[in-house]
Amino acid sequence: MAADKRTTKRSRKNTRPHLFDPLTLRGLEIRNRVWLPPMDTYSAFAQDGKPTPFHYQHYVSRALGGFGMVIAEATAVSPEGRISPNDVGLWNEDQVEAWRWIVDGIRDAGAVPAVQLNHSGRKGSTGSFAVGYEGQSVPLDAGGWETVAPSPIAFGEYATPRELATDEIRGIIEQFRAAADRAIRAGFQAIEIHAAHGYLLSEFLDPLTNERTDEYGGDLTGRMRLLIEVSDAVRSVMPDNAPLLVRISATDWAAGGWDLDQTIAVARALRSHGVDLIDVSTGGIIAGVTIPAEPGYQVPFASEVRKHADIRTTAVGLITKAKQADKIVNHGYADAVEIGRAALRNPYWPLRAAYKLGLSREAAGYPDQYVRGAY
């Protein structure tokens, strides 16, 4: 009898928990709802924007670990669009070739390779472990550069940016379009536009960082104009079956600033401009605010955007446990979850989660080479 109980306890089911249901966007099937979010690694040490063998190991190991979509870190659309001197980019053809073997490795491991395109705006030219000057602007004589923004308002103690002229704004739209074209030619199957965390596109959205009086400022229609035009430009070079994602901060956690209602309005507009999913985060726009971080604290924002903008969403932010993640998808709070810092600790988080949720090793999708080590 005891042996029978042990057998029952050890049995694994072949039916998938909702977290491991496939998701189809524009005809592209993603094997599950556990995705790797873009996380900066500041590891293009030659400062040429090219990913390296480190990036191959970083991303492909997580594809082998079972993530459904692997979204590569903030990838600059121009040298001045980097967050730090050691950011990766897609502003030239050499970078296309440097990305291709990584993209192929992600896809060969069963995941969908995606890339986040970004312009850093006033939060560019900042330090990192690789160059020093952490938490501050990198001086010009140490490899830094002049930053730009919708208005000449600094982020905290960073250098004050220069206000962009209208023709420069149009040039940045073209940089996003060209980078998206390179991303597709490198083999990426999905593209995410970074409009969160206080980088350039979110600076234009927020009334606390955008004081312009031209067509790119003023009311919400003006402040969202750049993001809409970037989305149109990026969508124009993507295949019909390639999903377009936009990452957005649903609130800046500051009185009188960016909030959920504006986020929902922008998400509705983006849906009508060919955007398929909103990657919902919060914060990073205004320095010195208090963020009530706790497990799942950003999930309600993803849920509200999904419900009121009628668009698919992902949820991110201190999601660390399998049952927690499955509940988010099962209850319809979001269509997928993104596992960030926990994935830095464990590249095989999805395989462990599959075991925790009772999924058999066959249904979990282990690489053949790893079956002998299955949970």
Side-chain angles (χ1 to χ4, degrees), residues 6-250:
R6 285 196 301 270
T7 301
T8 301
K9 186 176 181 180
R10 288 197 305 267
S11 66
R12 303 273 106 186
K13 59 188 180 184
N14 287 303
T15 56
R16 292 178 180 270
H18 289 293
L19 188 63
F20 288 89
D21 286 341
L23 175 66
T24 300
L25 294 174
R26 282 189 175 260
L28 177 67
E29 184 173 287
I30 306 158
R31 62 183 172 186
N32 61 42
R33 314 296 182 99
V34 190
W35 299 358
L36 184 77
M39 292 179 285
D40 299 329
T41 64
Y42 309 112
S43 295
F45 297 119
Q47 300 188 11
D48 57 2
K50 294 181 186 178
T52 68
F54 165 81
H55 294 93
Y56 181 93
Q57 180 170 341
H58 175 64
Y59 290 118
V60 176
S61 64
R62 282 149 183 89
L64 289 168
F67 285 92
M69 179 180 284
V70 172
I71 309 175
E73 63 203 84
T75 299
V77 299
S78 69
E80 300 77 20
R82 292 174 293 171
I83 300 167
S84 85
N86 295 101
D87 277 22
V88 292
L90 270 170
W91 67 78
N92 66 40
E93 293 303 307
D94 289 345
Q95 293 157 353
V96 174
E97 294 306 313
W99 273 113
R100 186 167 283 124
W101 73 305
I102 299 171
V103 174
D104 289 346
I106 294 169
R107 184 185 294 169
D108 290 346
V112 168
V115 64
Q116 183 188 71
L117 299 181
N118 184 45
H119 191 298
S120 57
R122 69 177 187 163
K123 292 179 76 175
S125 191
T126 53
S128 71
F129 74 91
V131 294
Y133 303 101
E134 292 189 68
Q136 55 188 300
S137 297
V138 178
L140 298 180
D141 60 5
W145 57 90
E146 180 185 47
T147 57
V148 295
S151 303
I153 303 170
F155 178 83
E157 299 301 315
Y158 290 178
T160 300
R162 176 176 59 79
E163 182 173 317
L164 284 162
T166 304
D167 62 338
E168 291 179 300
I169 293 173
R170 291 170 183 149
I172 288 171
I173 296 169
E174 171 57 24
Q175 290 171 348
F176 271 95
R177 188 206 65 78
D181 179 67
R182 295 186 188 102
I184 295 300
R185 288 192 284 111
F188 285 107
Q189 294 178 285
I191 293 175
E192 177 170 280
I193 297 169
H194 200 353
H197 300 161
Y199 300 113
L200 186 67
L201 297 182
S202 63
E203 293 165 20
F204 271 86
L205 291 174
D206 199 311
L208 298 181
T209 54
N210 183 349
E211 297 180 346
R212 302 179 72 94
T213 57
D214 64 3
E215 64 265 41
Y216 291 101
D219 63 9
L220 180 57
T221 299
R223 287 183 279 114
M224 76 164 76
R225 183 183 303 276
L226 178 56
L227 176 56
I228 296 296
E229 292 180 351
V230 165
S231 299
D232 286 343
V234 170
R235 181 78 261 173
S236 72
V237 297
M238 296 177 66
D240 289 342
N241 64 347
L244 177 58
L245 290 57
V246 171
R247 190 168 218 190
I248 197 164
S249 289

